[in-house]
């Protein structure tokens, strides 16, 4: 069968992921490794009244644009415009706070994962539950609204994530995949549902102020492969205002970007993990056993199948690195020899390979926003050197690349202290496109092999498309078996083992980085 036959017959799976800078759509065929078409839309969060947000009108504008671009791409490649699919999946940035009243009206602007105004709530809930509750979790946002006696709280009827909101508008179902749900409220992996002990504890604390049990405000939790509703007529019109898209397509449970990253990198088994680098950077490590202690650096979430995962989430990823690359791109253009973005990154990354293993005494902090792991309430990107530092372009770029991994490495050291062992990490994100550079430095930072593969090139949009395709296989095999057998059996991976010189050099850099956080704190206080 040709790709055009698959598209015509609807033997395809559509994945849509709303990332922090791009909304991306990805279409796969019966062979999940074959990407048939893609589409995307660029967008940015905004700081309004001190809180990071996206307008919901922009959500639908972006979804429609990404979907339309995918349909055009399918026609360009295969001569056919899709009108139906075998399955659809929606994924988005995890956490945050989307609060609605009984009529389905948004009560306050969408509060994203990037906000750090929930410290009081997170601290109280961490003590109440006995597990770390990060600032960005939905329950922290909800409880902060309760503590602040916000006017909308008595009118609350439903709280969800961005993926849960889009899915609900497409299907009418108030559900969430367990991986995304684990960023709303702690999950009991034994039941695959919200932890009942913690639900009861929160109700004892806040139900009078909320007016109802907290479970009634949260989406129903579903594992990967569960039926999660079908595309309604209204949902089809929302996604495709042209009217060509047919209703009735089944949808998989909506997931978060962490879960789709695990799928896209086949990192759902114990002792495996992945690192996703974009506007934020985070590592996910599937656990063999529960952690012994509570650590503010670690979130306990789950795979899309509900297995326990330790997550090191950093609010700041590669944005500052991209800003430096943009400056050099402008220099190239001003000099009369313009280079495209990919060429600029390639030149700068390869120059970094010539740098000293510890970046020559230079320090780069990528903190555009607050960073809880580093103890920073706000961001101040800094580049720091001493008079005797080796100030070369190679060292500058190595320091910038190391800086992307700095806060992440602090969190991973905590996992190491818990005795967690990692057989392999899989890396994905745009900064790994230049072969053998960021991948090599990450292996040195983690002291573990790091794999990069072509299958993850479409990222979470491909991952949620794979989860959608899993709907047809869930009765026959578990998610891990499906990925091993049906998706990654013939995958080609490039693996970088940690170079001893890089390991030692990054360790020196990290010691300096940790000590220099006092400079960052002073900058936050003073600037």
């Amino acid at each position: 069968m040709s790709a055009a036959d698959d598209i015509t017959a609807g033997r395809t799976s559509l994945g849509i992921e709303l990332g922090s800078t791009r909304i991306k759509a990805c279409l796969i065929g019966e062979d999940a490794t074959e990407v048939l078409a893609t589409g995307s839309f660029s967008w940015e969060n905004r700081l309004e009244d001190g809180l990071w947000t996206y307008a919901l009108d922009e959500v639908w504008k972006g979804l429609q644009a990404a979907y339309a671009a995918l349909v055009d791409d399918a026609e360009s490649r295969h001569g056919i415009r899709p009108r139906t699919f075998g399955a659809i999946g929606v994924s988005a940035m995890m956490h945050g706070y989307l609060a609605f009243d009984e009529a389905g009206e948004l009560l306050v602007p969408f509060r994203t994962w990037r906000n750090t105004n929930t410290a009081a709530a997170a601290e109280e809930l961490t003590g109440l539950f006995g597990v770390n509750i990060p600032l960005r979790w939905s329950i922290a946002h909800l409880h902060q609204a309760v503590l602040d006696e916000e006017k909308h709280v008595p009118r609350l009827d439903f709280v969800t994530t961005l993926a849960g909101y889009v899915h609900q508008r497409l299907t009418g179902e108030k559900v969430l995949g367990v991986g995304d749900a684990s960023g709303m409220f702690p999950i009991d992996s034994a039941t695959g549902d919200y932890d009942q002990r913690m639900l009861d504890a929160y109700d004892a604390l806040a139900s009078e102020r909320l007016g109802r049990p907290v479970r009634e405000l949260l989406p129903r939790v579903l594992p990967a492969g569960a039926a999660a509703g079908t595309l309604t007529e209204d949902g089809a019109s929302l996604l495709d205002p042209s009217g060509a898209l047919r209703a009735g397509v089944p949808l998989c449970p909506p997931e978060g970007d962490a879960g789709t990253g695990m799928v896209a990198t086949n990192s759902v088994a114990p002792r495996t993990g992945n690192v996703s680098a974009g506007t934020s950077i985070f590592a996910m490590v599937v656990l063999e056993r529960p952690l012994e202690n509570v650590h503010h650096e670690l979130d306990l979430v789950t795979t899309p199948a509900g297995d326990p995962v330790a997550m090191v989430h950093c609010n700041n990823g590669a944005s500052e690195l991209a800003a430096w690359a943009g400056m050099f791109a402008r220099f190239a253009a001003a000099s009369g020899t313009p280079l495209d973005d990919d060429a600029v990154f390639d030149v700068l990354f390869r120059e970094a390979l010539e740098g000293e293993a510890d970046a020559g005494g230079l320090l780069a902090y990528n903190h555009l926003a607050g960073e809880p792991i580093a103890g920073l309430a706000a961001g101040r990107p800094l580049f720091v050197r001493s008079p005797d530092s080796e100030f070369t372009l190679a060292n500058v770029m190595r320091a910038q690349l190391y800086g992307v991994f700095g806060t992440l490495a602090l969190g991973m050291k905590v996992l190491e202290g818990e005795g967690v062992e990692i057989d392999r990490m899989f890396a994905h994100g745009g900064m790994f496109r230049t072969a053998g550079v960021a991948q090599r430095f990450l292996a040195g930072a983690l002291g573990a092999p790091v794999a990069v593969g072509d299958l993850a090139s479409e990222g979470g949009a491909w991952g949620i498309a794979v989860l959608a395709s899993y709907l047809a296989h869930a009765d026959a095999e578990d998610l891990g078996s499906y990925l091993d057998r049906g998706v990654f059996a013939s995958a080609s991976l490039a693996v970088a083992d940690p170079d001893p010189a890089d390991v030692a050099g990054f360790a020196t850099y990290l010691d300096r980085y940790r000590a220099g956080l006092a400079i960052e704190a002073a900058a936050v206080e003073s600037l």
Side-chain angles (χ1 to χ4, degrees):
M1 292 290 182
S2 68
D5 292 331
D6 279 356
I7 294 171
T8 302
R11 292 189 296 267
T12 55
S13 296
L14 172 66
I16 301 174
E17 180 156 280
L18 296 95
S20 54
T21 60
R22 279 204 304 169
I23 299 174
K24 193 167 185 179
C26 178
L27 184 66
I28 61 175
E30 284 195 303
D31 177 358
T33 66
E34 183 182 5
V35 175
L36 304 181
T38 62
S40 67
F41 174 82
S42 296
W43 69 340
E44 290 288 346
N45 55 187
R46 299 193 304 271
L47 190 63
E48 294 183 359
D49 298 324
L51 294 173
W52 293 101
T53 188
Y54 297 85
L56 294 195
D57 287 347
E58 191 80 353
V59 169
W60 295 107
K61 175 184 175 183
L63 283 168
Q64 290 165 5
Y67 178 80
L70 177 137
V71 170
D72 289 344
D73 189 40
E75 182 176 35
S76 175
R77 291 198 209 183
H78 311 291
I80 188 77
R81 296 179 72 82
R83 299 192 56 173
T84 189
F85 308 97
I88 297 175
V90 176
S91 174
M93 299 167 280
M94 288 179 69
H95 320 299
Y97 184 69
L98 277 157
F100 299 90
D101 65 14
E102 191 171 356
E105 295 297 319
L106 186 68
L107 292 170
V108 292
F110 172 33
R111 297 171 181 177
T112 78
W113 57 269
R114 199 172 190 179
N115 291 296
T116 56
N117 63 307
T118 57
E123 181 179 4
E124 183 172 4
L125 294 175
T126 297
L128 179 69
F129 296 152
V131 298
N132 180 45
I133 301 299
L135 303 183
R136 65 189 178 281
W137 277 27
S138 303
I139 189 61
H141 284 278
L142 171 62
H143 191 53
Q144 192 66 51
V146 170
L147 293 178
D148 294 341
E149 299 181 345
E150 293 193 35
K151 292 180 180 179
H152 76 274
V153 170
R155 298 169 55 200
L156 278 172
D157 181 71
F158 180 51
V159 176
T160 190
T161 65
L162 183 55
Y165 161 71
V166 172
H167 183 95
Q168 188 267 331
R169 291 295 306 276
L170 295 180
T171 66
E173 299 290 337
K174 295 179 178 178
V175 299
L176 207 58
V178 63
D180 203 7
S182 69
M184 292 197 76
F185 195 94
I187 294 290
D188 179 354
S189 286
T191 64
D193 200 356
Y194 302 118
D195 188 292
Q196 189 61 51
R197 176 186 67 82
M198 298 181 197
L199 288 171
D200 292 342
Y202 189 71
D203 286 342
L205 176 70
S207 62
E208 288 188 8
R209 287 174 283 183
L210 283 176
R212 66 178 68 188
V214 67
R215 179 184 280 275
E216 294 182 8
L217 299 176
L218 300 175
R220 185 164 53 92
V221 182
L222 297 174
T230 58
L231 185 67
T232 64
E233 294 284 354
D234 287 343
S237 296
L238 264 177
L239 193 54
D240 180 20
S242 78
L245 178 59
R246 301 170 188 157
V249 180
L251 271 78
C252 71
E255 264 299 346
D257 51 359
T260 58
M262 283 186 271
V263 171
T265 57
N266 195 18
S267 303
V268 299
R271 296 173 66 100
T272 66
N274 75 91
V275 171
S276 175
T279 302
S280 64
I281 184 170
F282 55 82
M284 313 285 293
V285 179
V286 186
L287 300 175
E288 296 179 281
R289 56 173 178 76
L291 300 181
E292 294 182 2
N293 300 293
V294 177
H295 304 279
H296 81 274
E297 301 91 345
L298 304 177
D299 307 357
L300 296 179
V301 292
T302 77
T303 69
D307 296 316
V309 172
M311 180 180 191
V312 179
H313 184 282
C314 309
N315 284 348
N316 300 278
S319 296
E320 178 67 0
L321 175 66
W324 278 73
M327 179 179 65
F328 284 109
R330 175 57 193 150
F331 172 80
S335 72
T337 55
L339 297 172
D340 64 31
D341 289 346
D342 284 345
V344 170
F345 277 107
D346 188 74
V347 169
L348 294 175
F349 278 34
R350 297 201 182 285
E351 182 69 10
L353 292 173
E354 304 301 318
E356 297 176 55
D358 70 343
L362 308 181
L363 269 180
Y365 292 99
N366 65 336
H367 301 137
L368 289 160
E371 194 60 84
I373 290 177
L376 301 169
R380 298 293 184 273
L382 292 177
F383 183 78
V384 182
R385 66 186 181 101
S386 61
D388 60 348
S389 299
E390 293 295 326
F391 188 48
T392 66
L393 179 59
N395 282 335
V396 167
M397 293 316 301
R398 186 175 281 231
Q400 290 294 337
L401 281 157
Y402 279 5
V404 175
F405 304 136
T407 310
L408 182 79
L410 296 178
M412 294 298 290
K413 289 292 183 184
V414 177
L415 268 182
E416 184 181 313
E418 279 271 0
V420 173
E421 296 182 354
I422 304 169
D423 292 335
R424 186 207 68 200
M425 295 292 281
F426 197 116
H428 59 115
M431 68 182 296
F432 298 103
R433 286 207 302 266
T434 299
V437 183
Q439 177 189 9
R440 169 183 152 178
F441 293 160
L442 180 59
L446 301 181
V450 173
V452 173
D454 290 341
L455 284 183
S457 62
E458 298 299 333
W462 180 73
I464 191 63
V466 171
L467 281 173
S469 73
Y470 177 59
L471 276 177
H473 303 270
D475 288 342
E477 56 190 336
D478 62 37
L479 178 61
S481 298
Y482 172 67
L483 294 178
D484 285 340
R485 180 199 60 78
V487 181
F488 286 89
S490 59
S492 176
L493 300 178
V495 179
D497 291 315
D499 182 296
D502 290 342
V503 173
F506 186 85
T508 299
Y509 179 91
L510 190 64
D511 287 342
R512 194 164 59 243
Y513 182 95
R514 186 184 286 108
L517 287 172
I519 309 169
E520 273 282 275
V524 170
E525 182 69 25
S526 303
L527 298 177

